[in-house]
């Protein structure tokens, strides 16, 4: 029982401090997807609402794909590579 309590307490604390830029990105993405969720709820999950959300998700994937290409181009820079690693580690351990 004490072990469960320790695990729950440990889950609230990130292992590594997060860079501020990554925290902001995480929070913005969280807000964005919560707005989509609220939109669907307001429209009572209608077929039309799902079509709008599907189009928006396709748009997001295109943005992510283009960002991935940009990262690949810039990955030759060792400083940039380290910054990306820091952000990746921070996103794996979100505050919320």
């Amino acid at each position: 029982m004490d072990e469960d309590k320790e695990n729950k307490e440990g889950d609230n604390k990130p292992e590594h401090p997060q860079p501020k830029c990554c925290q902001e990105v995480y929070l913005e993405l969280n807000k964005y997807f919560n707005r989509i969720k609220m939109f669907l709820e307001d429209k009572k999950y209608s077929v039309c609402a799902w079509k709008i959300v599907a189009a928006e998700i396709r748009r997001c994937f295109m943005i992510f794909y283009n960002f991935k290409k940009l990262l690949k181009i810039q990955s030759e820079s060792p400083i940039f590579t380290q910054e990306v690693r820091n952000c990746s580690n921070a996103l794996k351990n979100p505050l919320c």
Side-chain angles (χ1 to χ4, degrees):
M1 191 157 206
D2 290 330
E3 187 176 320
D4 291 335
K5 185 177 178 181
E6 289 176 14
N7 287 341
K8 288 179 184 175
E9 290 173 359
D11 290 343
N12 294 334
K13 300 175 187 175
E15 292 178 18
H16 304 286
Q18 295 181 353
K20 186 173 181 162
C21 67
C22 294
Q23 289 176 358
E24 291 171 5
V25 169
Y26 174 79
L27 292 174
E28 286 301 317
L29 283 172
N30 196 18
K31 287 179 195 176
Y32 173 75
F33 286 107
N34 276 330
R35 284 193 309 266
I36 289 176
K37 177 185 168 197
M38 289 171 38
F39 171 78
L40 284 169
E41 288 173 353
D42 289 344
K43 301 297 181 182
K44 297 183 170 72
Y45 301 95
S46 70
V47 172
C48 182
W50 276 108
K51 287 182 180 181
I52 292 168
V53 169
E56 183 66 17
I57 290 173
R58 281 192 294 274
R59 187 179 76 85
C60 286
F61 281 131
M62 285 304 299
I63 292 169
F64 293 149
Y65 175 75
N66 290 333
F67 183 64
K68 180 184 164 192
K69 286 192 326 188
L70 176 66
L71 288 177
K72 186 175 181 180
I73 291 168
Q74 294 181 345
S75 67
E76 296 173 3
S77 165
I79 294 170
F80 182 80
T81 304
Q82 184 59 42
E83 289 175 6
V84 170
R85 281 191 194 122
N86 291 342
C87 266
S88 294
N89 289 336
L91 288 174
K92 288 177 185 174
N93 300 308
L95 291 176
C96 299

